[in-house]
């Protein structure tokens, strides 16, 4: 299957809906976005998912990989309290992968994209020895209201949005709900908006590397220190170690006054 | 060198200039862009450069790779007649690469970024077996004026912006001006704007895969066919084959009424 025919098929599957601010999607040198409201800030994230580093092709289906590629980007958008607008994906395909694999990859990605009204607006295709997937997501948020890592103040309370360690447990046991957490993380897009609009969160970030590293980063950005004196919310069956250092939970870490 | 210390150093080197529409650069979950003018369209491109596919580490220096990573993205922005605004870069580093290599990579990238007033606003770092570099570039263009592939009309004249085949020749001979064309292509950003503002070009795209493939794409997008009845502008020493099929020249292909 040639690059041209893959693109032609994707163009049909991912056509921007009528009235979309993405006025030109897949097929030209660039995608074209026409912001309708002037009182918005645009936020951008990029995130790479690489074979044999972040996933194995033997254990992760094409649809899982497509889903997770986008989920990691959406999780960053959620952490800003923003609403996803569109994404672009750069995909390096291993030479032995066929049309069916590519179809399923984009099937997984587009399923999650639809859930959060994210238009697949473009990208790049290449062939390489290993699969790698880089996602770019653009989100929008009312001017000056994005949730930053740097907004936490001494005296704020620290929260996480769910239970931690599930992804690491799933990677180890390869079964049950924990495995689903690992393969198909759910980006906390609605919660991110709720934190910004309703709860007045002072800072937020997503938990991709693990609470132990990410809380340090939030503290460093905010010029504050943290104390944990309540038991951690641990995924059923996960160890404290997995909850602290496992990473890839894609829950939100945030602070409230 | 840890990810945190690489990022801290990059943050200083790539700080957005005062008054930039990039109000938040490297360091949070997302970069934040605050468009000042409402009469602009934003264009987005992404492009991947992969070790052993697009370059060899033995023959391409870290600075060359950094330069070329951005040059490919800027070339797409040029092809829309747009002005680059900011970029994000996802970089997978081979495990044996040290701090110096990373420094030089970003040195090459930032040198080109400064030349075209492009802010390095964020990205992602990972470790993998091979180097891969994915660039995202955002450009801006007055609403409704972007140069598309689809605008060519029967009777239009077809042009390329320079001589072709130099990059393929440089890859073969590994010497002289041709090698420089291959290693450090110059994106035609100013020419792209000139085509849009002064010449009233009807269609444009950049020549990355070679005239033989790319002219077909422009024709398909425009619903037109093309006839070449003048001698091709060939890079001194390159063959006709290299000029037609070599690719990676990053000149602009465009049409005028």
């Amino acid at each position: 299957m040639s690059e041209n025919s893959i693109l032609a098929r994707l163009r049909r599957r991912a056509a921007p809906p009528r009235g979309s601010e993405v006025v030109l999607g897949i097929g030209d040198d660039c995608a074209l976005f026409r912001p309708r409201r002037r009182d918005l800030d645009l936020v951008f994230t990029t995130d790479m998912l690489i074979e044999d580093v972040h996933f194995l092709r033997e254990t992760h289906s094409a649809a899982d990989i497509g889903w997770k590629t986008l989920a990691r980007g959406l999780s960053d958008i959620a952490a800003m309290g923003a609403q996803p607008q569109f994404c672009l994906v750069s995909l390096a395909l291993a030479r032995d992968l066929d049309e069916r694999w590519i179809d399923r990859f984009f099937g997984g990605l587009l399923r999650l994209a639809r859930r959060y009204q994210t238009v697949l607006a473009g990208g790049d295709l290449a062939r390489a020895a290993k699969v790698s997937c880089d996602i770019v997501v653009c989100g929008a948020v009312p001017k000056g209201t994005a949730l930053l890592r740097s907004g936490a103040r001494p005296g704020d309370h620290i929260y996480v949005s769910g239970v931690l360690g599930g992804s690491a447990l799933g990677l180890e046991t390869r079964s049950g709900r924990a495995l689903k957490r690992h393969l198909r993380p759910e980006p906390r897009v609605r919660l991110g908006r709720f934190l910004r609009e309703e709860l007045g969160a002072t800072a937020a970030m997503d938990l991709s590397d693990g609470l132990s590293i990410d809380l340090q980063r939030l503290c460093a950005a905010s010029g504050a220190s943290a104390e944990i004196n309540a038991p951690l919310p641990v995924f059923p069956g996960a160890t404290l170690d997995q909850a602290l250092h496992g990473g890839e939970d894609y829950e939100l870490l945030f602070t409230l006054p």
Side-chain angles (χ1 to χ4, degrees), chain A:
Chain A
M1 201 182 186
S2 74
E3 185 180 334
N4 279 349
S5 65
I6 295 174
L7 286 182
R9 203 172 132 67
L10 251 185
R11 256 179 108 155
R12 286 191 299 272
R13 283 178 84 182
R18 199 174 286 271
S20 171
E21 288 167 283
V22 175
V23 296
L24 185 70
I26 297 166
D28 214 298
D29 294 283
C30 293
L32 202 149
F33 180 69
R34 182 168 294 161
R36 213 171 282 134
R37 289 176 50 187
R38 66 183 309 183
D39 54 345
L40 294 179
D41 284 337
L42 298 177
V43 297
F44 294 90
T45 183
T46 170
D47 205 288
M48 230 177 198
L49 195 74
I50 302 171
E51 182 177 354
D52 295 348
V53 178
H54 302 101
F55 66 88
L56 301 172
R57 258 200 283 154
E58 297 72 52
T59 54
H60 292 65
S61 76
D64 290 336
I65 297 167
W67 173 288
K68 199 163 180 175
T69 293
L70 179 57
R72 286 157 57 102
L74 288 178
S75 181
D76 283 326
I77 299 295
M80 306 296 281
Q83 180 64 32
Q85 305 291 310
F86 63 90
C87 66
L88 298 93
V89 60
S90 282
L91 179 60
L93 289 160
R95 286 175 232 286
D96 60 319
L97 290 178
D98 60 6
E99 188 181 334
R100 242 177 51 175
W101 195 97
I102 300 169
D103 242 35
R104 288 175 178 177
F105 172 88
F106 282 106
L109 189 145
L110 288 170
R111 194 170 151 205
L112 184 61
R114 275 190 296 273
R115 186 173 296 184
Y116 295 105
Q117 290 89 50
T118 310
V119 175
L120 174 61
D124 187 35
L125 285 174
R127 287 278 176 184
K130 299 278 177 187
V131 178
S132 68
C133 327
D134 193 43
I135 191 83
V136 191
V137 191
C138 170
V141 57
K143 208 190 252 187
T145 68
L147 298 176
L148 309 185
R149 295 182 182 184
S150 53
R153 292 293 163 257
D156 284 359
H157 294 267
I158 303 167
Y159 300 85
V160 294
S161 58
V163 288
L164 304 181
S167 179
L169 176 68
L171 186 63
E172 189 192 296
T173 61
R174 309 217 56 75
S175 68
R177 282 206 311 125
L179 179 60
K180 201 173 166 223
R181 280 296 284 252
H182 179 71
L183 295 178
R184 302 247 174 163
E186 190 71 43
R188 302 303 183 195
V189 174
R190 290 187 193 96
L191 177 69
R193 288 190 58 170
F194 185 77
L195 291 179
R196 173 176 60 74
E197 292 173 352
E198 307 294 335
L199 293 188
T202 48
M205 70 181 292
D206 77 321
L207 286 170
S208 52
D209 288 337
L211 184 67
S212 58
I213 295 180
D214 288 331
L215 179 56
Q216 265 187 42
R217 287 181 178 145
L218 189 140
C219 286
S222 293
S225 60
E227 214 181 275
I228 303 182
N229 45 29
L232 275 192
V234 178
F235 191 95
T239 64
L240 185 61
D241 207 64
Q242 286 170 330
L244 274 172
H245 318 298
E248 294 218 273
D249 282 313
Y250 301 108
E251 295 292 351
L252 296 183
L253 170 67
F254 57 96
T255 54
L256 298 177

